[in-house]
């Protein structure tokens, strides 16, 4: 089943993701595409916060990363 915000949970934790054949409309395997997306998911808030991370405490920094990824990156990545 599919949710309007989250989408399908069919490929959660890379279960059922095609590892050798691409999805329809893509030319790279599904696992490679997922790993590529995770790389940007991880590096985006770190690039944004590079200028002011030394001035923040650990807890606000982690909160920023979680909020940024869930409220900004995920919706844009699934547009």
């Amino acid at each position: 089943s599919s949710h309007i915000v989250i989408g399908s949970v069919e490929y959660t934790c890379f279960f059922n993701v095609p590892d050798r054949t691409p999805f329809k409309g893509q030319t790279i395997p599904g696992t490679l595409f997922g790993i590529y997306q995770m790389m940007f998911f991880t590096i985006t808030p770190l690039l944004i916060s590079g200028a002011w991370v030394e001035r923040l405490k650990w807890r606000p920094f982690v909160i920023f990363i979680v909020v940024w990824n869930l409220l900004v990156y995920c919706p844009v990545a699934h547009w």
Side-chain angles (χ1 to χ4, degrees):
S1 74
S2 180
H3 188 270
I4 192 167
V5 176
I6 299 171
S8 175
V9 293
E10 180 182 3
Y11 301 120
T12 303
C13 297
F14 282 100
F15 294 128
N16 302 321
V17 174
D19 57 349
R20 301 206 193 288
T21 58
F23 288 114
K24 291 182 180 179
Q26 292 183 349
T27 57
I28 60 173
T31 52
L32 184 61
F33 179 73
I35 292 169
Y36 182 76
Q37 286 293 324
M38 285 192 304
M39 179 185 67
F40 281 103
F41 181 84
T42 304
I43 199 70
T44 301
L46 300 176
L47 290 173
I48 292 170
S49 62
W52 45 266
V53 71
E54 293 178 358
R55 292 177 240 156
L56 282 180
K57 293 184 180 185
W58 181 249
R59 181 171 282 158
F61 178 63
V62 171
I63 291 171
F64 168 75
I65 289 175
V66 170
V67 169
W68 172 267
N69 281 331
L70 293 178
L71 297 180
V72 177
Y73 186 84
C74 288
V76 171
H78 292 286
W79 233 333

